Each structure stands twice: as structure tokens, then as C-alpha cells.
Amino acid sequence: MITIVDLGMGNLRSVENALKKVAPDQTIKVSSNEQHIYDAERVVLPGQGAIGTWFQTFRKLSLSAALEDAIKNKPLLGICIGQQAMFEHCDEDGGVMGLGLFKGQVRHFKQFHSRSANLKTPQMGWNQVNQTQAHPLWKGIPDQTWFYFVHSFCANAEHAADIYGETDYGHNFTAAVGKKNLFAVQFHPEKSQHAGLQLLNNFTQWDGTV
Amino acid sequence: MALAKRIIPCLDVDAGRVVKGVKFVDIRDAGDPVETARRYDEQGADEIIFLDITASSDDRATMADVVAQVASEVFIPLTVGGGIRELTDISRMLNAGADKVSINTAAVFNPAFVKQASAHFGSQCIVIAVDAKQTDFGENPKWGIFTHGGRKHTGIDAIDWCRRMSDYGAGELLLTSMDRDGTRSGFDNELNRRVSEAVPIPLIASGGVGNLQDLVDGVKLGKADAVLAASIFHFGDHTVPQAKQRMAEAGIEVRL
């Protein structure tokens, strides 16, 4: 079973549809029930909208223990806010402490570089991902493939060893981050056509090792 | 490497059927929105917008069904517009599988709705559709916001309105020139450029595309982040790959 953690934000239907498409034989559950996270073999941590609300809901639903178990033991895929939440801190919503699974900060695009001054935010659309390291989730996906992004805040991982993909929007930011059984992407694989489905397909077969 | 400029086909849907005639060489049913969306997806469209032009509210549920079917087969962003007036209209479309909704008239009559919608669902899924028409010509041109298919001037200045919608949390603007819509004489790029430079959010240019050069001009002259087209694709005059090729040749970053 693959459980998509439902924090009541944004469109999880797309993630569900895409996983059902690539893994028709597996049970896909969209749930905010901790038991469904405990029972899952793989967990997807998605998210859209504001990270402050994301963490509020996360705490209200008391999912910390179940998610901690998944973080330690299961292949886990973070998407968008699900990726940002894995860093130490995010500037959004007056500043939010993250899960601290990866060293680094999440900041607004405009905070970065003078070159970013006239950037449109959100970054909305297709951009290329530079695969900085090989990973089982990149299997069958050429380097510099286009993925669909929608976000105004972006992460910059501090340890190069954690970075699996970078994308340029005003500056290079961390588009994919990973460590052991964790992999997280800023883009939306569920909206990234063939390449996105390939990544999700890789995830449904991933044993959580690199 | 940079963010690609997007090409977005727009489909008008009436009671669950694509209208305005969509023509693909080997399509079985030109009026089927699912099949049409699938074809545009295969051609490499970057997103698809459905505009529900259904008159009766009874048929609104049909649109949600259409979205659900498309979303289970097409894995690129889907936007749905037409008849989005309340938060429940937005939930219904997002739950069906839409990624964004486009709000037009309801924003004009109740601007606070845009604030509510973006606070509730996040700016990323709120597109504000703006219908503008030039009202002053000459050295200081002005454009106004029109409703009722361009017949009724609201007295609101288009540039001011776009700024306000951005401030209220819109994630993107879909700007249609009512002067150019349906004329196939090209976008109103003076309007597009002024709006694009006035707001920090992405701009989708719409209204007037007649050939592939118009798409290039929308990006180069109109500073649009995305270009919307209906008839040049629907009638089979041009395909999405041809459009992308032309844009790439003009030095525009596109997803090929």
C-alpha cells in the first residue's frame, strides 16, 4: 500500500490519479489517518499552498509519530511543500521550523540574487532539472528533463551530498533532495507528463536504498 | 536553462462537449473533451484550459465529470474556468482533479472573493481571467474591464485591476483583449506588456492569435509568460509542436 498523506490542502487527486496510473496493482490511499501511514509500505508527503497551514494541520492531526516511523523506515517521497517541510526552516508565514531532515533554508525567490529582482513569482511552468547525482528515482529519466513547478519559495540544501537535482530560476535552487530512504522534489511529478509518471513509477518500485 | 514559456490550448465546453470545432487528423470524436485533451497532451501542450460555457447550472456537474475523466488520463496542469462564483465551486473542480480554477465575473462583482479563494486554496490554483478593451487611444492609451462578453464597461482601469488582483492573491492572470478576441489579428501586445510589467505574477496572453508569429510576438513584445490559443490549433491550421518550433527558432525557451 502507498499512502498519500492528506493534510487537507490542495489537489491530492492528481497525485492519486498518477500513482494509480503507474501502479494499477497497488493500493493507493489518500488519508490523514495515522494507521494508514503505519500500514503503508511507501509514503508520499505532498503539499500545496502555505507551509504554515501545512504544519498546523500536521500537528493537529497528530501525525508526527507515524510520519517519524515512515521517515526512519520507509521509502518516502516529498512533493512541493512536502519537500520544503523537510528542511530546517522556511521564511514563509513569518518563519516556520521544518522537520530538519535536510540541512538548509527555504526562502522566497526574491531573497536570493539581484538577478531575481524582476522574476515573476510563483515560478509557474516547466523548467529543467540538472541531475547532480544518480538515484534510483531518476531511472529512465534523461538529465535536463523538463518538470512542472509552481512555487514562490525554494530550498537550498547545504550539503552537496543531499542534492540530487538543481534548477535555475534566477539562481540555482534544490529541485530534488535525498538521503537514504527519503527523496523529495520541488516540482510536481504528477503534473509532469511522461517524466513525472516515470519518476512515480520508479518510486512505486523503490526499496528505499540508494 | 530557464523556465519555459508555455503554450496553452483553450477548449470551450458546453454541456460536456467541446464546441467551436476541434480538428485533429485522426481524431475519432472531435467533440469529446477527454479525447481532445489527450491529443493536445500528446502534442506537447504545456497546460490545458477548459472554459465551461454551459448556460444552465444543471450542467455544471457535467463539467466536473469531464475534469475527472481528463485528470485520470492527462498528466499536465488543467485549469477550469466558467461559472466559478463560490468557494464550493472551486472545491468541486479541484476535487474533480483540476489544478487551477479561473475566476472572471465573480472577481469583478466581488473582489473579496479572490482574497478568500487564494487564502483558502493557495494562490497557486487561482487564475484571474481579465477581459479588457481599449477605452482611450492616443498617447496615453487606457484599457477598461468589461463584463457580459465585452458589452459592459465596469469603469475599472485594466492595469489597476490586474495589480489589485495580484495584491489579492491571484497566482496568475489570464488577460484577454476583447478588441482582438476572434479577429485572428494578433494579441494586443501593448496591453500585455503594460500588464506584465505592472504585476509580479505570471501573465497568460489571450485573444487574437491568427498565426504562429503572433505567439512569438506575445512573448517578445507582450512579455507574456504563457500564450493561449484556441482556433489556430482547433481548426488544424497549426499544431502545438509547430508553434513550439517557431518559438524556439525565435530564441524563446520552450519545452520541446
Side-chain angles (χ1 to χ4, degrees):
Chain A
M1 179 167 89
I2 301 174
T3 297
I4 302 165
V5 181
D6 180 10
L7 297 180
M9 292 173 66
N11 173 9
L12 302 184
R13 183 74 181 268
S14 298
V15 183
E16 184 188 11
N17 281 337
L19 282 169
K20 281 184 173 160
K21 174 88 177 174
V22 298
D25 304 334
Q26 296 195 37
T27 306
I28 313 293
K29 215 166 201 78
V30 178
S31 174
S32 52
N33 179 328
E34 62 171 2
Q35 198 55 47
H36 292 144
I37 301 177
Y38 282 122
D39 292 346
E41 291 159 83
R42 293 182 178 79
V43 174
V44 179
L45 194 59
Q48 282 184 340
I51 199 165
T53 321
W54 191 94
F55 268 106
Q56 271 171 23
T57 317
F58 179 75
R59 288 194 199 96
K60 204 161 62 193
L61 293 168
S62 316
L63 296 176
S64 302
L67 196 65
E68 220 163 278
D69 173 61
I71 286 165
K72 279 195 190 116
N73 304 313
K74 293 170 189 178
L76 188 143
L77 176 66
I79 298 174
C80 194
I81 303 284
Q83 184 223 40
Q84 296 180 3
M86 291 184 186
F87 285 85
E88 293 172 294
H89 184 267
C90 178
D91 285 351
E92 196 177 357
D93 295 330
V96 176
M97 292 306 291
L99 298 168
L101 304 171
F102 296 101
K103 210 165 164 48
Q105 304 284 319
V106 178
R107 295 204 175 94
H108 198 278
F109 274 116
K110 307 227 158 173
Q111 297 281 309
F112 279 94
H113 200 268
S114 55
R115 197 153 70 87
S116 311
N118 51 10
L119 272 188
K120 295 288 184 92
T121 52
Q123 164 172 241
M124 188 170 304
W126 300 78
N127 206 333
Q128 287 169 292
V129 176
N130 170 23
Q131 297 174 14
T132 49
Q133 298 186 66
H135 192 281
L137 266 62
W138 289 141
K139 197 184 112 192
I141 302 169
D143 192 19
Q144 305 297 336
T145 290
W146 298 90
F147 286 94
Y148 190 81
F149 291 83
V150 187
H151 60 130
S152 299
F153 288 77
C154 63
N156 274 75
E158 279 179 31
H159 297 319
D162 294 341
I163 302 172
Y164 283 88
E166 284 189 328
T167 293
D168 180 19
Y169 191 60
H171 77 292
N172 264 319
F173 69 90
T174 305
V177 70
K179 192 190 279 176
K180 295 181 193 162
N181 57 316
L182 308 176
F183 196 80
V185 293
Q186 174 63 67
F187 53 82
H188 289 272
E190 75 280 11
K191 285 286 138 190
S192 297
Q193 223 196 8
H194 307 304
L197 292 179
Q198 178 68 46
L199 189 146
L200 292 171
N201 185 41
N202 293 341
F203 175 69
T204 63
Q205 294 166 28
W206 185 36
D207 64 2
T209 62
V210 182
Chain B
M1 183 163 91
L3 181 68
K5 300 298 178 188
R6 290 166 284 156
I7 294 186
I8 309 178
C10 176
L11 303 173
D12 287 356
V13 178
D14 186 4
R17 304 285 295 169
V18 177
V19 293
K20 264 195 191 171
V22 175
K23 199 167 81 187
F24 287 104
V25 250
D26 53 349
I27 199 161
R28 287 190 298 274
D29 177 358
D32 178 15
V34 182
E35 177 130 351
T36 309
R38 199 190 292 134
R39 292 309 167 102
Y40 280 129
D41 175 44
E42 282 166 7
Q43 285 195 359
D46 295 308
E47 297 189 19
I48 296 173
I49 294 183
F50 290 102
L51 190 59
D52 186 8
I53 57 165
T54 308
S56 107
S57 56
D58 295 349
D59 288 329
R60 293 265 177 243
T62 314
M63 193 63 214
D65 290 342
V66 166
V67 171
Q69 284 179 58
V70 173
S72 64
E73 293 191 42
V74 172
F75 299 96
I76 58 173
L78 305 173
T79 301
V80 182
I84 305 288
R85 294 191 178 84
E86 296 171 31
L87 294 179
T88 51
D89 297 326
I90 301 177
S91 320
R92 182 200 277 173
M93 290 307 170
L94 296 183
N95 289 334
D99 300 284
K100 313 180 213 179
V101 293
S102 153
I103 306 170
N104 188 343
T105 316
V108 178
F109 292 124
N110 178 16
F113 175 54
V114 177
K115 270 190 187 168
Q116 287 171 359
S118 59
H120 198 273
F121 299 100
S123 293
Q124 82 287 339
C125 63
I126 305 299
V127 181
I128 300 300
V130 175
D131 291 343
K133 203 162 159 178
Q134 193 158 359
T135 50
D136 286 343
F137 298 80
E139 280 198 18
N140 286 309
K142 287 197 179 308
W143 290 260
I145 299 298
F146 281 71
T147 58
H148 299 83
R151 292 191 304 277
K152 214 164 160 184
H153 187 16
T154 60
I156 305 167
D157 176 76
I159 314 279
D160 290 346
W161 176 248
C162 290
R163 267 201 207 99
R164 187 170 171 203
M165 289 297 97
S166 169
D167 290 345
Y168 280 14
E172 194 168 35
L173 295 174
L174 165 52
L175 178 60
T176 302
S177 159
M178 302 307 284
D179 299 307
R180 301 298 179 92
D181 202 28
T183 65
R184 312 196 90 187
S185 60
F187 293 122
D188 184 344
N189 286 317
E190 185 61 27
L191 168 67
N192 288 332
R193 185 182 55 79
R194 283 170 188 249
V195 169
S196 186
E197 289 174 353
V199 297
I201 56 177
L203 172 73
I204 305 169
S206 155
V209 176
N211 59 50
L212 299 181
Q213 184 59 35
D214 292 338
L215 301 175
V216 171
D217 291 345
V219 173
K220 293 225 155 179
L221 308 176
K223 310 273 182 222
D225 301 285
V227 285
L228 180 139
S231 48
I232 64 159
F233 297 137
H234 296 343
F235 299 126
D237 305 355
H238 300 285
T239 64
V240 175
Q242 284 168 356
K244 288 196 169 181
Q245 194 57 44
R246 181 62 174 271
M247 287 169 81
E249 282 162 14
I252 297 168
E253 190 87 58
V254 287
R255 176 179 70 110
L256 286 170

